[in-house]
Amino acid sequence: MNIVLLGAPGAGKGTQAAKLVEDMGLCHISTGDILRQAVKDQTELGKKAKEYMDAGDLVPDELIIEMMKERIQQPDTAKGVILDGFPRTTTQAVALDNMLHELNRPLDAALLIDVDPEVIVKRLCSRRMCRECGHIGTAADAACPVCGGEMYQRDDDNEATVRNRLDVYDKSTSPLIDYYRGCDLLVAIDGDRDPAEVYAEVKSTLEGLDK
Ligand code: AMP
């Protein structure tokens, strides 16, 4: 099963993807995670991407598409993928269609996790991540509740950058909602609920597709 997770930054895509990996054994590909690792490792890609990421802007399509072409061909994707944070532009969505077509793997659904922007600003400004295992928590977590690792705040989780990221989402990424609706692949899910409730709906939606 190949799934695109759509939704504004902070809508809960990463949290839902982590549950899907645990539950269904799908391969989680987060372009944001790949880019953050590249920045940390100071690779050529990381050096080119950092400035855009710090400002909350999109990294240019050519870089992202090149990176994804390589990633999606790796053997761990054969059972199915959950794409989190990709595609983010119509150009990327068309490139993804071509990649999947070449691999003879259809896209099964685009799940939109829908959350009000003001809820997102509050959520992201208090979001913390674990340096060790990547667990997504909140400012209330003194240490990672999963592995005890150190929690940190992402450089781009400050209010000004969050608001820019939401503007970028509106302009560049939200047109994908109509794109996937046009392909008859869009399923919208109310993301402004407890993550477990959101997940129950995500799961029943995916089980429905399997039938
Ligand atoms: P995320 O972790 O998905 O919120 O992504 C963090 C940042 O990485 C974004 O604000 C962008 O700067 C960059 N990024 C991640 N995925 C993409 C993408 N598909 N296209 C362009 N930039 C991306």
Side-chain angles (χ1 to χ4, degrees):
M1 187 172 275
N2 299 294
I3 308 292
V4 163
L5 282 182
L6 275 181
K13 301 186 296 296
T15 303
Q16 295 302 320
K19 289 178 189 288
L20 282 171
V21 170
E22 206 181 297
D23 217 17
M24 300 178 70
L26 298 177
C27 170
H28 176 203
I29 302 181
S30 153
T31 41
D33 285 351
I34 300 174
L35 290 167
R36 275 183 290 282
Q37 190 61 46
V39 170
K40 200 168 153 197
D41 296 343
Q42 300 188 338
T43 64
E44 277 313 303
L45 171 67
K47 284 180 203 157
K48 286 182 191 152
K50 185 174 179 353
E51 208 180 304
Y52 298 99
M53 294 172 76
D54 284 347
D57 291 330
L58 292 184
V59 174
D61 284 335
E62 316 82 75
L63 291 177
I64 298 290
I65 290 168
E66 213 38 55
M67 172 180 111
M68 280 303 292
K69 271 189 187 159
E70 208 183 298
R71 180 65 187 92
I72 209 154
Q73 292 190 37
Q74 288 171 19
D76 62 340
T77 64
K79 241 182 113 179
V81 288
I82 309 163
L83 298 172
D84 163 9
F86 176 85
R88 255 173 156 105
T89 63
T90 308
T91 305
Q92 292 180 18
V94 172
L96 173 65
D97 287 344
N98 293 334
M99 285 177 219
L100 290 175
H101 182 73
E102 272 180 33
L103 292 167
N104 204 11
R105 295 185 202 159
L107 194 61
D108 296 282
L111 299 185
L112 169 66
I113 314 287
D114 206 12
V115 180
D116 180 82
E118 283 311 311
V119 173
I120 285 191
V121 173
K122 279 204 196 103
R123 257 195 208 178
L124 286 188
C125 292
S126 73
R127 178 165 75 174
R128 301 292 183 273
M129 288 177 80
C130 174
R131 274 194 207 286
E132 305 305 321
C133 72
H135 171 77
I136 302 163
T138 72
D141 298 318
C144 174
V146 176
C147 74
E150 185 195 346
M151 300 297 281
Y152 77 102
Q153 182 172 34
R154 273 172 47 171
D155 291 345
D156 55 356
D157 279 349
N158 63 77
E159 185 165 344
T161 311
V162 166
R163 290 202 183 273
N164 185 43
R165 286 159 69 201
L166 288 172
D167 283 347
V168 169
Y169 174 80
D170 253 359
K171 280 196 205 93
S172 305
T173 309
S174 67
L176 294 183
I177 297 173
D178 279 339
Y179 180 89
Y180 285 116
R181 192 179 282 125
C183 306
D184 212 14
L185 289 171
L186 189 80
V187 181
I189 289 174
D190 175 9
D192 197 0
R193 292 177 289 171
D194 182 81
E197 267 179 64
V198 177
Y199 185 64
E201 193 174 335
V202 166
K203 198 166 176 209
S204 67
T205 301
L206 296 187
E207 283 167 351
L209 295 176
D210 245 356
K211 284 175 191 145

